Amino acid sequence: MIWQVSLLILYTVSLFIIFIFSVGQAYLIFFYLKSKREKEIIPVLQNDIPKVTVQLPLYNELYVVERLINSVCDLNYPKEKLEIQVLDDSDDDSLILTKRIIAEKQAQGFDIVHIARTKNIGFKAGALQNGLNIAKGEFIAIFDADFLPEKDFLIQLIPYFNQAKIGMVQSRWGHINKDYSLLTKVQGFGLDGHFTIEQTGRNKAGLFMNFNGTAGIWRKTCIMDAGGWQHDTLTEDLDLSYRAQLKGWQFQYVEDVATPAELPVELNAFRSQQHRWTKGAIETSKKMVKEIWKADVGLKKKIFGTLHLMNSYVFLFVFLTSILSIPVLFIKNEGNINPIYFQLMSVFLIGFVIVTLFYLIANFSKKESLKAFAKLFPMFLSVSMALSFHNSIAVLEGLFGFKSDFIRTPKFNITNLKEGFKSNIYVKHGLPKAFYVELFLSLYFFTGLVFAIYYKDFGLFPFHLMLFTGFSTLTFYSVKSKLA
């Protein structure tokens, strides 16, 4: 009896924590919808055009460096007002290609420089700070290697710096290969929710928001005033965002300007990206939450800033809830627990309703059909819950201070199924360490389906079905990557 009560308490606490974060999402939904009723005044570029430095942090980007530099050189902005810094920490043959492309652009009259460090200290953050120290521009635009800015990117976003305290302007991420596979569709679906509801909601509610590491523009003095780029976390963008806003700088999110990017088409690349984002967010929360509560920013910003920075902890509780759900099924049908407890637990379904509304509204904002949502949302939830195992490891590494290198996400420069990635020299084709655990977990949650039929108790059946589907999907893509 004691072990049953202990498990149920742990299960309830996990569900309650997930519910709290869901309530935070409901608040963002409210402000997103409110913003849609307001008429936004779009500023225009004035005659006094400022100098802009475009920073392109690279590390072994053989397949995408040429299209990146070409797209930046195609920006509709006066050449004399544009400086391009190629911050190249590469240590492979891509260096030769990059140097050749830069030489060609210099011959065409572009102010483009190749900055290659002898030591890759601080990874991306170190490269950005190194370039910042010699940047000529009043504003700093940043693009990762997998992004392709539209020609009017600077013309559209620079006018938003019409107030002296605006320190950063962020555009929405688009996707050039969202329809490549089920894996990219799921990624795009999740990112659209973040860049539609979450970023707009935070911005319009006057809450802390974050620079997303790329496809945005900083005021140079804002970066310097906030202490510059620091590399003591894996999410230097999130870290700098909070340091800048705690200094009084304001951010602007522009949902209507999209910057297309390539989504990872291979599972291991997607995993490394998720691991870095998750672990880095935990590291940043350890660094910055105490600073938020010391600051004079108001209780609302403190609460939602804390929820924002600690959001990655949800993965840990989602995984814990998932693992405990099968013992809970046994306890419900074999134990001596009052049935009222299980009836009361249904209140946590409100959290699921909130999450559904979050992505449903984002789906409609993208002018996608209800049919498309119905097809993709269950798979998105399934894969997201299955990723909770992998991301929980990242949470624990960040929590207990386990240091790791900045692992880049391999780029592929492929947009349709006819283009494979078998010959990509950056892809690791072996089975990941997590493969066997995820295979076991897919079988584990399959037993949940079996016992639901045995007990004729289908309350957790949809939950276990999604978990089984999610872990099976990850297992499938792991094998597919090995065979590619």
Side-chain angles (χ1 to χ4, degrees):
M1 184 68 175
I2 294 178
W3 73 269
Q4 293 180 354
V5 172
S6 299
L7 279 180
L8 291 177
I9 290 174
L10 188 57
Y11 184 70
T12 305
V13 169
S14 296
L15 282 174
F16 179 73
I17 291 173
I18 296 170
F19 176 75
I20 292 297
F21 282 96
S22 299
V23 171
Q25 285 188 312
Y27 188 81
L28 298 180
I29 292 172
F30 170 77
F31 273 95
Y32 176 77
L33 294 176
K34 183 180 178 182
S35 73
K36 293 299 145 183
R37 296 196 299 266
E38 300 171 355
K39 187 175 181 180
E40 185 175 358
I41 300 175
I42 300 175
V44 295
L45 191 64
Q46 302 300 314
N47 293 329
D48 186 16
I49 299 177
K51 182 87 172 183
V52 175
T53 296
V54 178
Q55 292 187 320
L56 310 177
L58 303 180
Y59 180 70
N60 297 348
E61 304 293 1
L62 183 64
Y63 301 103
V64 296
V65 61
E66 186 166 12
R67 75 175 189 187
L68 170 67
I69 294 176
N70 284 338
S71 67
V72 171
C73 289
D74 284 341
L75 287 171
N76 183 17
Y77 207 72
K79 276 187 181 181
E80 67 276 11
K81 295 289 186 177
L82 186 65
E83 176 194 29
I84 303 170
Q85 291 183 338
V86 181
L87 309 174
D88 195 356
D89 287 338
S90 300
D91 54 16
D92 68 349
D93 291 342
S94 66
L95 270 169
I96 300 172
L97 174 62
T98 303
K99 288 179 180 179
R100 178 180 64 78
I101 297 169
I102 290 174
E104 292 174 356
K105 297 302 180 183
Q106 288 173 337
Q108 295 170 17
F110 287 97
D111 182 4
I112 181 170
V113 291
H114 189 212
I115 303 174
R117 298 187 296 166
T118 55
K119 291 185 179 180
N120 186 3
I121 299 173
F123 305 102
K124 180 181 175 181
L128 291 172
Q129 185 61 39
N130 184 54
L132 183 73
N133 293 334
I134 56 174
K136 304 173 187 174
E138 178 185 352
F139 298 100
I140 311 293
I142 300 171
F143 300 106
D144 282 348
D146 47 341
F147 278 73
L148 294 169
E150 300 285 359
K151 291 184 178 181
D152 289 340
F153 178 87
L154 295 177
I155 295 294
Q156 290 179 302
L157 292 193
I158 287 294
Y160 283 92
F161 289 95
N162 53 6
Q163 297 178 40
K165 291 304 292 181
I166 299 293
M168 191 281 296
V169 178
Q170 173 70 54
S171 72
R172 174 170 56 86
W173 290 8
H175 321 295
I176 61 176
N177 63 335
K178 182 178 179 180
D179 294 328
Y180 177 83
S181 67
L182 178 61
L183 185 63
T184 56
K185 287 179 181 178
V186 166
Q187 292 176 65
F189 186 88
L191 286 170
D192 286 344
H194 168 72
F195 281 99
T196 302
I197 309 296
E198 187 173 351
Q199 285 289 64
T200 304
R202 290 187 191 285
N203 200 211
K204 298 303 181 183
L207 305 175
F208 292 118
M209 61 166 283
N210 63 291
F211 170 58
N212 293 104
T214 177
I217 307 174
W218 285 84
R219 192 186 295 271
K220 183 179 179 180
T221 52
C222 171
I223 301 176
M224 297 170 65
D225 181 53
W229 294 101
Q230 299 175 8
H231 57 266
D232 52 347
T233 75
L234 289 177
T235 46
E236 71 292 323
D237 46 2
L238 182 62
D239 171 33
L240 179 59
S241 295
Y242 269 81
R243 284 189 282 115
Q245 289 170 104
L246 287 173
K247 280 276 191 176
W249 291 94
Q250 298 171 10
F251 286 6
Q252 179 70 46
Y253 177 62
V254 185
E255 183 187 354
D256 292 335
V257 176
T259 306
E262 177 184 315
L263 295 163
V265 299
E266 189 263 341
L267 181 60
N268 288 332
F270 179 44
R271 286 180 194 276
S272 67
Q273 185 186 71
Q274 288 290 307
H275 183 275
R276 186 176 71 249
W277 288 352
T278 302
K279 182 177 178 179
I282 298 299
E283 292 173 335
T284 304
S285 71
K286 290 170 60 180
K287 178 180 179 179
M288 297 305 304
V289 165
K290 59 181 179 293
E291 301 301 324
I292 292 174
W293 286 92
K294 289 178 185 177
D296 182 20
V297 293
L299 183 60
K300 183 177 74 171
K301 292 185 74 169
K302 290 180 179 181
I303 292 173
F304 280 92
T306 302
L307 288 174
H308 184 201
L309 288 179
M310 300 185 73
N311 186 61
S312 291
Y313 281 101
V314 169
F315 290 115
L316 193 60
F317 293 103
V318 168
F319 182 64
L320 186 59
T321 301
S322 302
I323 293 296
L324 293 176
S325 63
I326 292 181
V328 166
L329 182 63
F330 278 104
I331 293 170
K332 181 181 179 182
N333 290 277
E334 301 287 351
N336 299 312
I337 304 298
N338 192 318
I340 293 178
Y341 164 81
F342 299 100
Q343 294 171 10
L344 291 174
M345 293 297 286
S346 61
V347 71
F348 292 118
L349 287 174
I350 296 173
F352 174 76
V353 173
I354 292 172
V355 171
T356 303
L357 284 174
F358 184 94
Y359 288 102
L360 182 62
I361 293 170
N363 180 80
F364 286 156
S365 75
K366 305 294 292 180
K367 295 181 173 55
E368 299 285 349
S369 67
L370 182 60
K371 182 180 179 181
F373 174 82
K375 284 182 178 180
L376 200 52
F377 181 61
M379 183 54 69
F380 165 75
L381 280 184
S382 298
V383 172
S384 296
M385 288 191 292
L387 281 170
S388 65
F389 163 68
H390 177 76
N391 289 343
S392 290
I393 295 173
V395 169
L396 294 174
E397 287 183 3
L399 179 62
F400 293 108
F402 180 81
K403 292 298 180 181
S404 57
D405 290 342
F406 185 104
I407 306 299
R408 63 178 286 278
T409 304
K411 315 302 187 304
F412 300 87
N413 195 12
I414 57 178
T415 57
N416 62 71
L417 285 171
K418 293 180 181 180
E419 301 174 283
F421 48 84
K422 185 176 182 178
S423 61
N424 189 302
I425 62 175
Y426 303 129
V427 174
K428 297 178 180 179
H429 293 285
L431 290 174
K433 295 178 181 178
F435 168 76
Y436 298 101
V437 177
E438 290 171 346
L439 176 61
F440 167 77
L441 288 171
S442 67
L443 297 175
Y444 176 74
F445 291 112
F446 181 75
T447 64
L449 302 177
V450 173
F451 283 113
I453 296 172
Y454 174 77
Y455 287 123
K456 295 183 175 59
D457 183 348
F458 297 98
L460 289 172
F461 190 89
F463 185 54
H464 290 149
L465 180 60
M466 285 191 292
L467 284 163
F468 168 69
T469 302
F471 279 106
S472 297
T473 300
L474 295 185
T475 301
F476 166 77
Y477 275 104
S478 291
V479 174
K480 183 178 179 182
S481 178
K482 178 177 174 59
L483 298 176

